[in-house]
Amino acid sequence: DGGITQSPKYLFRKEGQNVTLSCEQNLNHDAMYWYRQDPGQGLRLIYYSQIVNDFQKGDIAEGYSVSREKKESFPLTVTSAQKNPTAFYLCASSPYVSQDGYTFGSGTRLTVV
Amino acid sequence: GNSVTQMEGPVTLSEEAFLTINCTYTATGYPSLFWYVQYPGEGLQLLLKATKADDKGSNKGFEATYRKETTSFHLEKGSVQVSDSAVYFCALSLVGNEKLTFGTGTRLTIIP
């Protein structure tokens, strides 16, 4: 079955360390997205990519970085510059031209200890 | 710009009650409209969608009708169950721009 896989489901990081969250999709989707969700809050867009080797900042890109070397993969690095990284991170993908919306992964919960 | 405004939560209902979660939108052009559901600790799942005016999306007993005249896409269910407890997000997208615009989400709790 096609889908989008995020790993790990839970991640603990010490302050001052960078950490990379994985997102892989086998849906042949062109576009991929990273969102952050804080408890009781909505979704905030961090970065998105519509084609390989290209990506754009979303609303809260500071302290994060991404790469898009392969169509299937869109890893997110949470750097030590991110002041408050503890959150639930969601990855999503969509076809470039579609009225079907997004397919979401199951999320990664990052906790800074 | 484009925006989605959702009913403030949280919403608490008894089992078998009638549910309405309001959603209105502002868009330049003719959007597609979506409802997503998020169960605790999980990602979002597409619940239903509508791509043009007067379309009705439906799934799992939930319905929403695309009302262009009132720029609304309210979510309804005739008889809710405890298993419907989740956060519901309304969203829109415009043809040619796949970035979705989400509402802030409405937390729904159903009491037995």
Side-chain angles (χ1 to χ4, degrees):
Chain A
D1 283 342
I4 182 165
T5 302
Q6 290 188 241
S7 61
K9 191 162 180 66
Y10 299 95
L11 190 55
F12 296 88
R13 187 194 92 173
K14 292 183 179 180
E15 279 194 37
Q17 288 182 339
N18 292 354
V19 64
T20 297
L21 282 59
S22 171
C23 179
E24 303 277 335
Q25 54 99 359
N26 61 3
L27 299 165
N28 199 33
H29 284 174
D30 295 289
M32 297 186 75
Y33 311 83
W34 275 106
Y35 285 89
R36 171 180 172 140
Q37 186 177 31
D38 293 287
Q41 303 296 311
L43 304 175
R44 292 188 288 172
L45 182 64
I46 304 172
Y47 269 99
Y48 64 102
S49 167
Q50 293 178 311
I51 56 172
V52 174
N53 293 323
D54 188 41
F55 47 83
Q56 285 77 41
K57 293 181 178 180
D59 302 318
I60 56 163
E62 185 175 351
Y64 300 97
S65 66
V66 294
S67 63
R68 187 84 187 278
E69 297 176 1
K70 299 186 300 181
K71 187 175 184 179
E72 302 80 18
S73 179
F74 191 43
L76 173 74
T77 297
V78 184
T79 75
S80 55
Q82 169 51 233
K83 298 291 184 231
N84 188 18
T86 294
F88 190 52
Y89 291 87
L90 286 163
C91 181
S93 68
S94 71
Y96 188 73
V97 179
S98 168
Q99 293 178 299
D100 290 337
Y102 294 175
T103 300
F104 280 86
S106 57
T108 293
R109 186 167 300 281
L110 173 64
T111 303
V112 174
V113 296
Chain B
N2 304 319
S3 67
V4 175
T5 302
Q6 272 186 250
M7 179 175 177
E8 287 284 332
V11 174
T12 302
L13 294 172
S14 297
E15 203 166 21
E16 299 183 4
F18 184 86
L19 168 70
T20 300
I21 300 178
N22 290 339
C23 172
T24 57
Y25 67 89
T26 303
T28 53
Y30 301 100
S32 294
L33 301 172
F34 307 86
W35 277 102
Y36 283 85
V37 59
Q38 184 181 31
Y39 299 103
E42 298 183 10
L44 278 68
Q45 302 173 25
L46 180 64
L47 181 60
L48 53 84
K49 66 177 182 181
T51 57
K52 61 182 188 296
D54 299 326
D55 269 2
K56 178 186 282 188
S58 61
N59 188 23
K60 300 181 181 179
F62 290 90
E63 293 183 338
T65 301
Y66 189 139
R67 301 286 188 200
K68 184 181 173 184
E69 63 276 12
T70 54
T71 62
S72 65
F73 193 54
H74 305 321
L75 183 67
E76 297 181 336
K77 187 174 185 183
S79 177
V80 292
Q81 306 301 312
V82 172
S83 58
D84 295 326
S85 299
V87 180
Y88 292 81
F89 290 91
C90 186
L92 70 82
S93 73
L94 290 171
V95 173
N97 179 1
E98 295 313 310
K99 203 150 60 80
L100 284 179
T101 299
F102 286 93
T104 54
T106 302
R107 181 175 298 278
L108 174 67
T109 301
I110 307 301
I111 298 171

